[in-house]
Amino acid sequence: MPRCLLFDEMPIVRKIAERILAKAGYEVCLAETLEEAEARIVQDGVPDLAILSSTGERGDLPTLVRAIREERGGKNPVILIAIVERNIGALMRFRRAGANGILMKPFDAESFSETLQIHVRAAELAA
C-alpha cells in the first residue's frame, strides 16, 4: 500500500484529506507541524506521496521538499504543495525545490482527487 505524508495545520483539512487519500488506497501519516513532518520522514522514510501545506508556514518548506528529493531511497515521490492563493514567487521556489505541483485550498473531494491523479499519473509516466 503506498504511503502518504500529509502536513497541514488545520485539523479539518487533515480529516477531509485523510478520508480522500484512504479511499484512494493510501496509508496516511498525518503531521500538524513542519517539524512533525520532518520527524515522520526520519522515522518512516520517504513517502510515495507528500502533501505539504504552505499556509501558516513557520519553517522552511522548500528545504523539506529538497530533503525529500535527496533522501528518496529509490522512490520517485510525488510532492504537492497545498496553497490558498497563487503566488508566482512562492510557486517557483517550490518547483525549484522539487515539488511536482500544487493543490489549491480550499478543495473538495473531486478537485483533490483529480489533482492527485494528474500528478501521480505524470510521475508514473516519467519513471
Side-chain angles (χ1 to χ4, degrees):
M1 174 180 287
R3 290 185 313 110
C4 174
L5 171 63
L6 172 64
F7 156 58
D8 201 289
E9 313 79 11
M10 300 187 67
I12 190 68
V13 172
R14 289 192 307 271
K15 183 177 182 177
I16 292 168
E18 181 180 25
R19 286 183 186 162
I20 296 168
L21 290 162
K23 197 173 197 177
Y26 286 89
E27 175 187 332
V28 183
C29 177
L30 301 173
E32 186 174 345
T33 66
L34 189 60
E35 294 77 21
E36 191 177 341
E38 292 168 339
R40 293 285 187 170
I41 292 169
V42 170
Q43 176 184 333
D44 301 333
V46 172
D48 301 291
L49 170 66
I51 300 175
L52 310 170
S53 173
S54 71
T55 54
E57 174 189 342
R58 294 185 196 14
D60 187 3
L61 192 56
T63 298
L64 177 58
V65 172
R66 279 189 292 279
I68 291 171
R69 284 283 171 234
E70 291 169 3
E71 298 292 327
R72 58 188 184 182
K75 292 183 180 180
N76 187 21
V78 173
I79 303 171
L80 299 177
I81 306 299
I83 63 171
V84 176
E85 63 182 44
R86 293 184 190 270
N87 174 321
I88 298 300
L91 294 175
M92 293 309 297
R93 278 194 312 277
F94 296 132
R95 293 292 291 181
R96 281 192 304 268
N100 294 79
I102 61 167
L103 173 66
M104 291 301 297
K105 294 191 321 187
F107 53 78
D108 57 35
E110 184 177 335
S111 65
F112 185 103
S113 296
E114 285 176 8
T115 300
L116 182 63
Q117 288 176 349
I118 289 167
H119 290 288
V120 168
R121 184 69 180 135
E124 289 171 351
L125 292 173

